[in-house]
Amino acid sequence: MLRLNKISVIRENVVLKEISLDLHFDQIYGVIGKSGAGKTTLLKAMSGLVDLSEGEVLIDGEKLIGPSQRLVPGYDEIQLVNQDFAVEPYHTVYENVKEKVLSRHPKDQLELVEDYLELVELSDVRSRKAHILSGGEQQRLAIARALASEPKVLLLDEPFVHIDQRLRRKILHYLKDLQKIRKMLLVMVSHDGSELMGFANEIIYLSKNKILRQGLTSEVYYSPKTMEEGMLLGEVNEVDVDGEKIFFRPSQYSLDNPNINVHYMGSEDTGLTILNYFKLDTKTDIILSSNKRMTKVNKIRIIR
């Protein structure tokens, strides 16, 4: 288990404030929050790459030491993939990955390197020096290096910013399967909360340097407590019903026993679903998803 015990990081201002978490090796956690909430610093704290102002981080009961107290910052069993990429710039793509598997039997090294290069689709540039790769290629190389290290803890900070959706889905699927096999702890920060759906077991919502919520992904998704929290995971509606503020997803409605008047305003076909735009009697705008245009709908019931 990776435990954060009331950690704070204070520089010129507060970056993290009294964060406590117990993260288990057989789980995948997604971290959401607006820019500046402290998400990147949280991952650096988990990996021992930032000095804490207060509190402690422990892995299997052993306290992690910050960079000011270590000759080489960080820990081999905890791998962080972030926008710094952390590749060896003047080594080739192949050499970058191979150096992470040197402890393995020589017969296994070639196969492992080939597997990781194929996963991130860098086989064709294996002989290219890392410093001349594009940003997206360097990001993929950083992922391959981290996986080749076979860490206990894999931390991913916006790992797919420069990667197209097809390859993103491929790597996410691989990561989910690998996590089950290795029983490793996986934590991913994403600016696109929708990619955490179906991937993360739990969501950690960070706001203003504190954790405001931690829960099962489905619970956080379908029962947001604020508009900000809800929007971080996708489109959400906010309505006032009998003085109660209600948040619901575009799919959370029924046409059976309807009790709320709606007025059709138009539709948008996204290719995957049709988004139907309505106004309530209160002039509030809402979006409802469907497989067809809802031109004749004038009443709905919200499902929660």
Side-chain angles (χ1 to χ4, degrees), residues 190-209:
S190 177
H191 73 284
D192 180 6
S194 63
E195 71 183 6
L196 297 174
M197 304 304 299
F199 179 69
N201 305 115
E202 293 190 18
I203 297 293
I204 298 166
Y205 169 43
L206 200 62
S207 180
K208 298 179 181 178
N209 320 115

Side-chain angles (χ1 to χ4, degrees), residues 114-299:
E114 293 297 337
D115 286 347
Y116 289 123
L117 291 182
E118 182 179 350
L119 169 68
V120 299
E121 299 184 4
L122 290 178
S123 298
D124 291 344
V125 294
R126 69 179 67 238
S127 300
R128 193 171 297 174
K129 296 289 180 66
H131 73 94
I132 61 174
L133 297 177
S134 68
E137 288 171 334
Q138 289 192 42
Q139 195 166 43
R140 285 144 56 190
L141 179 57
I143 293 172
R145 280 167 54 88
L147 291 173
S149 299
E150 298 190 349
K152 279 186 176 182
V153 180
L154 179 60
L155 308 173
L156 303 170
D157 187 5
E158 306 278 12
F160 304 117
V161 173
H162 304 291
I163 298 177
D164 65 65
Q165 287 194 8
R166 180 196 58 80
L167 183 53
R168 180 185 309 181
R169 286 193 298 269
K170 175 185 174 183
I171 295 175
L172 282 172
H173 182 75
Y174 179 89
L175 286 173
K176 192 163 187 177
D177 287 345
L178 185 66
Q179 186 272 335
K180 290 178 182 177
I181 294 169
R182 292 185 182 173
K183 302 295 183 184
M184 67 179 175
L185 166 61
L186 202 159
V187 183
M188 185 166 85
V189 166
S190 177
H191 73 284
D192 180 6
S194 63
E195 71 183 6
L196 297 174
M197 304 304 299
F199 179 69
N201 305 115
E202 293 190 18
I203 297 293
I204 298 166
Y205 169 43
L206 200 62
S207 180
K208 298 179 181 178
N209 320 115
K210 296 182 179 181
I211 292 177
L212 293 192
R213 189 174 183 188
Q214 179 181 358
L216 295 175
T217 302
S218 59
E219 292 178 358
V220 177
Y221 180 77
Y222 285 112
S223 301
K225 295 182 178 179
T226 66
M227 193 64 173
E228 178 183 303
E229 177 188 326
M231 289 298 291
L232 288 168
L233 287 174
E235 193 66 58
V236 66
N237 297 304
E238 178 183 353
V239 299
D240 222 304
V241 178
D242 298 328
E244 180 187 3
K245 187 176 291 187
I246 295 175
F247 303 100
F248 70 101
R249 299 293 175 184
S251 61
Q252 288 181 276
Y253 70 93
S254 174
L255 302 181
D256 297 328
N257 302 315
N259 58 353
I260 298 175
N261 294 325
V262 295
H263 306 277
Y264 179 78
M265 304 300 293
S267 301
E268 176 187 357
D269 189 344
T270 68
L272 298 174
T273 188
I274 293 179
L275 300 179
N276 298 277
Y277 299 93
F278 290 87
K279 277 190 182 293
L280 305 185
D281 289 343
T282 59
K283 305 304 180 183
T284 301
D285 295 314
I286 64 170
I287 300 174
L288 304 179
S289 60
S290 177
N291 59 0
K292 59 183 179 181
R293 299 180 189 276
M294 302 169 64
T295 55
K296 297 181 180 180
V297 172
N298 52 36
K299 275 195 172 186

